[in-house]
Amino acid sequence: MAQRTEYDAAQAAKRLHTTVVVLRWARHVGVVPDPDVRGFAWSRSAVEAMDAAAVRASMPREAVSPYEAANRIAAALGTPNEPGQPPAVSCYAVERLIALGLLLDLSGHRRYSSLNPDQVDQVAAREGLAELLDREAPLGPEQAAARLGVRRVDFEWMRRLGWIAPVSWGRVQFGASKAGAVDVPRFAAGHVDDLPGAHPEVDWAQLRTVGKGRRSPLAGLQAQLV
């Protein structure tokens, strides 16, 4: 049988008697080098040079899910998630920490994340984490407009002007039919809060008093950009 000349992550992990999750963490901390074949695989010589024991030792504890990570973070912040109650720290908050690069998703799966519990605990002890999570709290368009004290149409003009963009999208289902499900943009609360300070050219007091059905003052700004 011909010898394998290159290994993808699953094949390399099997050769090293470990999991893809551990292999990815070992790569993150420099125990495993970056792939040397087309950017996603390792050559046979590269895999043979890896220290299997060191790879396995790089992550001594089993990975945790976003749900488990959220519970750990909530407990560390002194606001533990209680069964049957809205979570103080949600899985969505963990997703945002991943998106911000503070946590590394080791699963490589589009829907299911795996996290190093030691890294989760380090992030949980991070100074200012509660304030960061408050800024990352998700707001729908209606909620964002209400937070700013403006009409939904005015908030939509802010989007057209490129002042703010969704950080993610959520699937919301109306009724029992899947046909009623729609994708809704989610905005970070902190990004919404930053808008008045970022755009002092706008008379925010006036904007907040524009009556229903009136043309948005922001429409004129769009015309100036054309």
Side-chain angles (χ1 to χ4, degrees):
M1 182 181 294
Q3 289 187 329
R4 188 183 300 280
T5 59
E6 60 185 58
Y7 295 75
D8 62 20
Q11 293 162 343
K14 183 177 180 180
R15 172 71 183 259
L16 297 168
H17 303 290
T18 188
T19 65
V20 172
V21 165
V22 172
L23 180 72
R24 287 186 171 133
W25 180 258
R27 180 185 172 188
H28 175 68
V29 296
V31 175
V32 166
D34 290 337
D36 59 339
V37 180
R38 300 189 302 280
F40 67 86
W42 290 269
S43 63
R44 182 180 184 86
S45 59
V47 174
E48 289 177 342
M50 295 178 189
D51 185 335
V55 171
R56 294 192 293 270
S58 69
M59 186 172 158
R61 295 199 287 167
E62 289 189 12
V64 296
S65 68
Y67 175 79
E68 294 169 304
N71 287 339
R72 297 175 83 98
I73 293 171
L77 291 175
T79 55
N81 291 338
E82 300 291 348
Q85 300 295 324
V89 177
S90 66
C91 291
Y92 176 81
V94 175
E95 291 175 14
R96 292 303 303 148
L97 292 174
I98 293 172
L100 293 171
L102 297 177
L103 290 174
L104 179 64
D105 179 8
L106 300 168
S107 70
H109 196 287
R110 189 175 63 177
R111 294 182 58 189
Y112 305 105
S113 299
S114 294
L115 305 161
N116 184 338
D118 292 326
Q119 187 184 41
V120 171
D121 291 345
Q122 290 173 2
V123 170
R126 177 188 176 98
E127 185 176 354
L129 179 61
E131 292 76 13
L132 173 62
L133 292 179
D134 285 342
R135 283 186 55 81
E136 292 301 319
L139 299 175
E142 293 286 355
Q143 294 170 309
R147 192 176 180 97
L148 289 168
V150 302
R151 301 172 303 170
R152 168 70 181 271
V153 66
D154 299 312
F155 182 73
E156 291 303 325
W157 273 109
M158 296 176 203
R159 294 181 63 186
R160 294 182 197 178
L161 289 164
W163 294 357
I164 191 167
V167 295
S168 66
W169 291 75
R171 193 75 170 162
V172 177
Q173 186 169 321
F174 298 96
S177 172
K178 291 184 178 180
V182 296
D183 291 324
V184 176
R186 293 185 290 206
F187 303 87
H191 295 180
V192 174
D193 292 341
D194 291 342
L195 285 171
H199 296 280
E201 71 276 15
V202 173
D203 186 336
W204 288 88
Q206 177 193 21
L207 185 63
R208 291 176 175 125
T209 60
V210 178
K212 183 178 181 181
R214 298 288 299 277
R215 183 172 185 263
S216 174
L218 301 181
L221 296 180
Q222 175 75 8
Q224 295 173 21
L225 296 176
V226 176

